[in-house]
Amino acid sequence: MNENKYDVIVIGAGPAGYPASIRAAQNGLTVACIDEWKNRDGSHSYGGTCLNAGCIPSKVLLESSELYFRSKSEFKEHGVVIDKVGLDLGVMQARKGNIVRQLTRGIEALLKSNGVEAIRGHGHLIDGTTVEVTDAEGKRKMVHGDNIILATGSMPMALPEAPLHNSLVVDSWGALEFEEVPERLGVIGSGVVGLELGSVWQRLGSKVVILEALGDFLPMVDLDVAREVHRSLRGQGLDIRLDARVTGTAIGENDVTVTYIVDGESHNLEVDRLVVCVGRRPFTDGLFGENAGVELDNRGFICVDNSCRTAVPTVWAIGDVVRGPMLAHKGTEEGVMVADLIAGKFGEVSYKIIPSVIYTSPEVSWVGETEAEVKASGIAYKVGTFPFLANSRAKSMDQSKGLVKLIAAQDDNGILGVHIVGPLAGELIAEAVLAMEFSASVEDLQRTMHAHPTLSEALHEAALSADGNAIHMINN
Ligand code: FAD
Ligand code: NAD
């Protein structure tokens, strides 16, 4: 065999590309996975944005900061008395770094143990079966594949009114790396990153102001849930200013002044650090040669069909670089689907049943349609809700804020959407995802036994409540 010829070449080793490589190898195909990730110190590691600068480091800091915050504000309610709670941010950041290192090395080991040839360098698609790889020293070589999977991910979107500036104005990656807790932190964008990272630093002591251009808070979330999240986060001290359009920034020696307009009136906000998190854009810089033949849409996403095929029959694209929500698990499922399709097996992604989680406190999760979407579709529907206040496990955890909301079709009882705000909402949503994936009806959920006392009983009760039959609810 030609040493530069593979059945499958994957460009990108994030949560879309590395599982695609592993599944293709499991299917008996020869695979090369090319990745150019660069850490701040110039070193390389696998796992892309998710492991190095996204999902994992943010969740590690969310966990640590929540422990710190709860130990200061809630432990005494449990009768746990700690004289003085201190913060060692250096230890917290080092722990995060260790976890990221362990997990990224784990990916390298997985690629190796599955026989995937991991190649460090930049991949450039020459045509439907050829990729030019440039390594860190600038050395080039051609590799050939019967099939090529593009999994090059996304980058933070820039905001011309607030250009990044050293450690003063940073993107989401920069905001995961602060070495001191900023006294005053400004955040532009109250999307998922803004709320998660705003929460981290607010819990650690920053006074956080979030400026959001839209008038609606979390417009993609069901309205009842979004209202509850808004109330909870404001109660914790996050200052979320809606309808606030940023018009400029002025850099001081150690601070930043942000100018923004609300209702036609200009305001100034002085902060010690500013995070810009106004969304991400698909990343295809330097990816395509003249004869690549792959098409992009007007927002820069690679055009694909439902099976992630591009216009070139041998080239596929998956993850953040194609349409759909920018979520790690969505990219992973696409990668597995494509690797199976290439091997001649069945493969499909349920695009209507993708769970989303926001890891604030309380957590937020959902799957399927919001009530507003169901209403707009004209389907006759019913709604069941259940508050965590009436759930004994949530009560014992002292985490009884929030609710479960379930929306189902009147005619066939089909579950159309489930929305949760409350403790471990990100774990609880898995049951709803499975129920929807198996086309379970509300009655199936109602007749399913749930262990007591568990948080999952709240979903059970919400299903019962859709027919007015919740057991632990007054005025059902
Ligand atoms: P990426 O993870 O971006 O990986 C792409 C890889 O391809 C990178 O290593 C890149 O260097 C490499 N690459 C790009 N171009 C080339 C090239 N030409 N040649 C070689 N290599 C190339 N999602 C969740 O589901 N849950 C979360 O909790 C979550 N938290 C997040 C928190 C933050 C702060 C951020 C920023 C994102 C978060 N996300 C989360 C989103 C998640 O990180 C992305 O959806 C996911 O990483 C996309 O995976 P991907 O494989 O498509 O791309
Ligand atoms: P986002 O799209 O979630 O939110 C960006 C926010 O910025 C929006 O509310 C938008 O209205 C606002 N905005 C845009 N321009 C603005 C301006 N000029 N001034 C003020 N506000 C402005 O994007 P994000 O928070 O940057 O996250 C990027 C992606 O990463 C998302 O697609 C998300 O799915 C993914 N992510 C997921 C998780 C998770 O799954 N828990 C966590 C973090 C990130």
Side-chain angles (χ1 to χ4, degrees), residues 364-397:
V364 187
S365 64
W366 69 95
V367 58
E369 293 176 298
T370 62
E371 187 173 353
E373 286 166 345
V374 174
K375 194 179 265 175
S377 73
I379 291 179
Y381 67 94
K382 53 188 174 182
V383 174
T385 56
F386 193 78
F388 280 104
L389 200 61
N391 174 275
S392 50
R393 186 70 193 273
K395 267 284 196 209
S396 65
M397 293 163 74

Short mmCIF file of all heavy atoms in Angstrom, two decimals, residues 364-397:
data_model
loop_
_atom_site.label_atom_id
_atom_site.label_comp_id
_atom_site.label_asym_id
_atom_site.label_seq_id
_atom_site.Cartn_x
_atom_site.Cartn_y
_atom_site.Cartn_z
N VAL A 364 -30.02 24.44 32.68
CA VAL A 364 -31.13 24.53 31.74
C VAL A 364 -30.93 23.44 30.69
O VAL A 364 -29.81 23.24 30.24
CB VAL A 364 -31.11 25.90 31.00
CG1 VAL A 364 -32.35 26.07 30.15
CG2 VAL A 364 -30.94 27.04 31.98
N SER A 365 -32.01 22.76 30.32
CA SER A 365 -31.86 21.78 29.24
C SER A 365 -33.18 21.69 28.48
O SER A 365 -34.23 21.98 29.03
CB SER A 365 -31.48 20.41 29.79
OG SER A 365 -32.51 19.90 30.61
N TRP A 366 -33.06 21.28 27.24
CA TRP A 366 -34.28 21.11 26.44
C TRP A 366 -34.03 20.20 25.26
O TRP A 366 -32.89 20.00 24.84
CB TRP A 366 -34.84 22.46 25.99
CG TRP A 366 -34.03 23.21 24.98
CD1 TRP A 366 -34.20 23.20 23.63
CD2 TRP A 366 -32.93 24.11 25.23
NE1 TRP A 366 -33.28 24.03 23.04
CE2 TRP A 366 -32.50 24.60 23.98
CE3 TRP A 366 -32.27 24.54 26.39
CZ2 TRP A 366 -31.43 25.49 23.86
CZ3 TRP A 366 -31.21 25.43 26.26
CH2 TRP A 366 -30.80 25.90 25.02
N VAL A 367 -35.14 19.65 24.76
CA VAL A 367 -35.08 18.87 23.52
C VAL A 367 -36.43 19.05 22.83
O VAL A 367 -37.46 19.17 23.50
CB VAL A 367 -34.78 17.38 23.81
CG1 VAL A 367 -35.80 16.73 24.74
CG2 VAL A 367 -34.66 16.58 22.52
N GLY A 368 -36.41 19.10 21.52
CA GLY A 368 -37.66 19.26 20.76
C GLY A 368 -38.09 20.71 20.70
O GLY A 368 -37.29 21.63 20.87
N GLU A 369 -39.40 20.89 20.49
CA GLU A 369 -39.92 22.24 20.22
C GLU A 369 -40.32 22.99 21.48
O GLU A 369 -40.75 22.38 22.48
CB GLU A 369 -41.15 22.13 19.31
CG GLU A 369 -40.81 21.62 17.92
CD GLU A 369 -42.05 21.42 17.08
OE1 GLU A 369 -42.90 20.59 17.46
OE2 GLU A 369 -42.17 22.08 16.03
N THR A 370 -40.21 24.32 21.42
CA THR A 370 -40.72 25.17 22.51
C THR A 370 -42.24 25.27 22.33
O THR A 370 -42.79 24.96 21.28
CB THR A 370 -40.13 26.58 22.43
OG1 THR A 370 -40.54 27.17 21.18
CG2 THR A 370 -38.62 26.56 22.52
N GLU A 371 -42.91 25.79 23.38
CA GLU A 371 -44.37 25.94 23.27
C GLU A 371 -44.70 26.92 22.14
O GLU A 371 -45.66 26.71 21.40
CB GLU A 371 -44.95 26.43 24.60
CG GLU A 371 -46.47 26.44 24.54
CD GLU A 371 -47.14 26.74 25.87
OE1 GLU A 371 -46.45 26.82 26.90
OE2 GLU A 371 -48.39 26.91 25.86
N ALA A 372 -43.92 27.99 22.00
CA ALA A 372 -44.19 28.98 20.95
C ALA A 372 -44.09 28.32 19.57
O ALA A 372 -44.90 28.59 18.68
CB ALA A 372 -43.20 30.14 21.07
N GLU A 373 -43.10 27.44 19.40
CA GLU A 373 -42.95 26.76 18.09
C GLU A 373 -44.13 25.82 17.83
O GLU A 373 -44.64 25.74 16.71
CB GLU A 373 -41.62 25.98 18.05
CG GLU A 373 -40.41 26.88 17.90
CD GLU A 373 -39.07 26.19 18.20
OE1 GLU A 373 -39.07 25.08 18.80
OE2 GLU A 373 -38.04 26.78 17.86
N VAL A 374 -44.54 25.10 18.87
CA VAL A 374 -45.67 24.17 18.70
C VAL A 374 -46.93 24.96 18.37
O VAL A 374 -47.67 24.61 17.45
CB VAL A 374 -45.88 23.32 19.98
CG1 VAL A 374 -47.13 22.45 19.86
CG2 VAL A 374 -44.66 22.44 20.24
N LYS A 375 -47.13 26.05 19.10
CA LYS A 375 -48.31 26.89 18.86
C LYS A 375 -48.31 27.39 17.41
O LYS A 375 -49.32 27.31 16.71
CB LYS A 375 -48.29 28.09 19.82
CG LYS A 375 -49.62 28.82 19.89
CD LYS A 375 -49.58 29.98 20.86
CE LYS A 375 -50.11 29.59 22.22
NZ LYS A 375 -49.97 30.66 23.21
N ALA A 376 -47.15 27.85 16.95
CA ALA A 376 -47.05 28.39 15.58
C ALA A 376 -47.33 27.30 14.54
O ALA A 376 -47.81 27.60 13.45
CB ALA A 376 -45.67 29.00 15.37
N SER A 377 -47.05 26.04 14.88
CA SER A 377 -47.26 24.96 13.91
C SER A 377 -48.75 24.62 13.77
O SER A 377 -49.14 23.90 12.85
CB SER A 377 -46.46 23.72 14.31
OG SER A 377 -47.08 23.11 15.43
N GLY A 378 -49.58 25.10 14.70
CA GLY A 378 -51.02 24.90 14.59
C GLY A 378 -51.51 23.57 15.15
O GLY A 378 -52.71 23.28 15.11
N ILE A 379 -50.60 22.74 15.68
CA ILE A 379 -51.00 21.44 16.25
C ILE A 379 -51.74 21.66 17.57
O ILE A 379 -51.36 22.53 18.36
CB ILE A 379 -49.73 20.60 16.54
CG1 ILE A 379 -49.06 20.19 15.24
CG2 ILE A 379 -50.02 19.37 17.39
CD1 ILE A 379 -47.81 19.37 15.44
N ALA A 380 -52.79 20.87 17.82
CA ALA A 380 -53.46 20.93 19.12
C ALA A 380 -52.55 20.24 20.14
O ALA A 380 -52.08 19.11 19.90
CB ALA A 380 -54.79 20.21 19.06
N TYR A 381 -52.24 20.92 21.23
CA TYR A 381 -51.25 20.36 22.16
C TYR A 381 -51.68 20.54 23.61
O TYR A 381 -52.60 21.31 23.92
CB TYR A 381 -49.88 21.03 21.94
CG TYR A 381 -49.84 22.50 22.32
CD1 TYR A 381 -49.41 22.90 23.59
CD2 TYR A 381 -50.25 23.48 21.42
CE1 TYR A 381 -49.36 24.24 23.93
CE2 TYR A 381 -50.22 24.82 21.77
CZ TYR A 381 -49.77 25.20 23.03
OH TYR A 381 -49.75 26.52 23.37
N LYS A 382 -51.01 19.81 24.49
CA LYS A 382 -51.24 19.98 25.93
C LYS A 382 -49.89 20.14 26.61
O LYS A 382 -48.86 19.70 26.08
CB LYS A 382 -52.01 18.79 26.50
CG LYS A 382 -51.39 17.43 26.20
CD LYS A 382 -52.31 16.30 26.62
CE LYS A 382 -51.76 14.95 26.18
NZ LYS A 382 -52.64 13.83 26.52
N VAL A 383 -49.93 20.78 27.78
CA VAL A 383 -48.68 21.07 28.50
C VAL A 383 -48.77 20.50 29.91
O VAL A 383 -49.80 20.64 30.58
CB VAL A 383 -48.46 22.61 28.59
CG1 VAL A 383 -47.23 22.93 29.45
CG2 VAL A 383 -48.27 23.20 27.20
N GLY A 384 -47.71 19.85 30.34
CA GLY A 384 -47.61 19.42 31.74
C GLY A 384 -46.41 20.10 32.37
O GLY A 384 -45.35 20.19 31.73
N THR A 385 -46.57 20.61 33.59
CA THR A 385 -45.41 21.21 34.26
C THR A 385 -45.33 20.67 35.68
O THR A 385 -46.34 20.25 36.25
CB THR A 385 -45.51 22.75 34.36
OG1 THR A 385 -46.73 23.08 35.01
CG2 THR A 385 -45.45 23.42 33.02
N PHE A 386 -44.12 20.68 36.21
CA PHE A 386 -43.96 20.28 37.62
C PHE A 386 -42.80 21.06 38.22
O PHE A 386 -41.70 21.08 37.65
CB PHE A 386 -43.71 18.78 37.73
CG PHE A 386 -43.85 18.29 39.15
CD1 PHE A 386 -45.10 18.08 39.72
CD2 PHE A 386 -42.71 18.08 39.93
CE1 PHE A 386 -45.22 17.66 41.03
CE2 PHE A 386 -42.83 17.66 41.25
CZ PHE A 386 -44.09 17.45 41.80
N PRO A 387 -43.04 21.71 39.37
CA PRO A 387 -41.97 22.52 39.98
C PRO A 387 -41.05 21.66 40.85
O PRO A 387 -41.53 20.74 41.54
CB PRO A 387 -42.75 23.51 40.86
CG PRO A 387 -44.01 22.79 41.21
CD PRO A 387 -44.31 21.82 40.11
N PHE A 388 -39.75 21.96 40.84
CA PHE A 388 -38.82 21.20 41.71
C PHE A 388 -39.11 21.47 43.19
O PHE A 388 -38.69 20.70 44.05
CB PHE A 388 -37.38 21.55 41.36
CG PHE A 388 -36.90 20.82 40.14
CD1 PHE A 388 -36.77 21.46 38.92
CD2 PHE A 388 -36.59 19.47 40.20
CE1 PHE A 388 -36.35 20.79 37.79
CE2 PHE A 388 -36.16 18.77 39.07
CZ PHE A 388 -36.04 19.44 37.85
N LEU A 389 -39.84 22.55 43.47
CA LEU A 389 -40.21 22.87 44.85
C LEU A 389 -40.98 21.71 45.49
O LEU A 389 -40.93 21.50 46.70
CB LEU A 389 -41.09 24.12 44.83
CG LEU A 389 -41.22 24.92 46.10
CD1 LEU A 389 -39.86 25.45 46.54
CD2 LEU A 389 -42.18 26.11 45.88
N ALA A 390 -41.70 20.94 44.65
CA ALA A 390 -42.50 19.83 45.17
C ALA A 390 -41.79 18.49 44.98
O ALA A 390 -42.41 17.44 45.13
CB ALA A 390 -43.85 19.82 44.46
N ASN A 391 -40.51 18.53 44.66
CA ASN A 391 -39.74 17.28 44.46
C ASN A 391 -38.85 17.07 45.68
O ASN A 391 -38.04 17.93 46.03
CB ASN A 391 -38.91 17.40 43.17
CG ASN A 391 -37.98 16.23 42.96
OD1 ASN A 391 -36.87 16.21 43.49
ND2 ASN A 391 -38.41 15.25 42.21
N SER A 392 -39.02 15.92 46.33
CA SER A 392 -38.36 15.73 47.63
C SER A 392 -36.83 15.67 47.51
O SER A 392 -36.11 16.13 48.40
CB SER A 392 -38.88 14.47 48.31
OG SER A 392 -38.84 13.40 47.39
N ARG A 393 -36.31 15.12 46.43
CA ARG A 393 -34.86 15.06 46.27
C ARG A 393 -34.28 16.47 46.10
O ARG A 393 -33.25 16.82 46.69
CB ARG A 393 -34.49 14.19 45.06
CG ARG A 393 -33.01 13.94 44.88
CD ARG A 393 -32.47 13.04 45.98
NE ARG A 393 -31.03 13.02 46.04
CZ ARG A 393 -30.25 12.22 45.33
NH1 ARG A 393 -30.78 11.35 44.49
NH2 ARG A 393 -28.95 12.26 45.46
N ALA A 394 -34.96 17.29 45.29
CA ALA A 394 -34.50 18.67 45.08
C ALA A 394 -34.53 19.43 46.40
O ALA A 394 -33.61 20.20 46.72
CB ALA A 394 -35.37 19.37 44.05
N LYS A 395 -35.60 19.18 47.18
CA LYS A 395 -35.72 19.83 48.49
C LYS A 395 -34.54 19.44 49.38
O LYS A 395 -33.92 20.27 50.04
CB LYS A 395 -37.01 19.35 49.17
CG LYS A 395 -38.18 20.24 48.92
CD LYS A 395 -38.03 21.45 49.76
CE LYS A 395 -39.27 22.26 49.93
NZ LYS A 395 -38.90 23.67 50.14
N SER A 396 -34.21 18.13 49.40
CA SER A 396 -33.15 17.68 50.29
C SER A 396 -31.79 18.21 49.83
O SER A 396 -30.87 18.37 50.63
CB SER A 396 -33.14 16.15 50.41
OG SER A 396 -32.82 15.60 49.16
N MET A 397 -31.68 18.49 48.55
CA MET A 397 -30.43 19.07 48.03
C MET A 397 -30.39 20.58 48.21
O MET A 397 -29.38 21.21 47.91
CB MET A 397 -30.31 18.77 46.52
CG MET A 397 -30.12 17.33 46.16
SD MET A 397 -30.48 17.04 44.41
CE MET A 397 -29.05 17.75 43.64
#
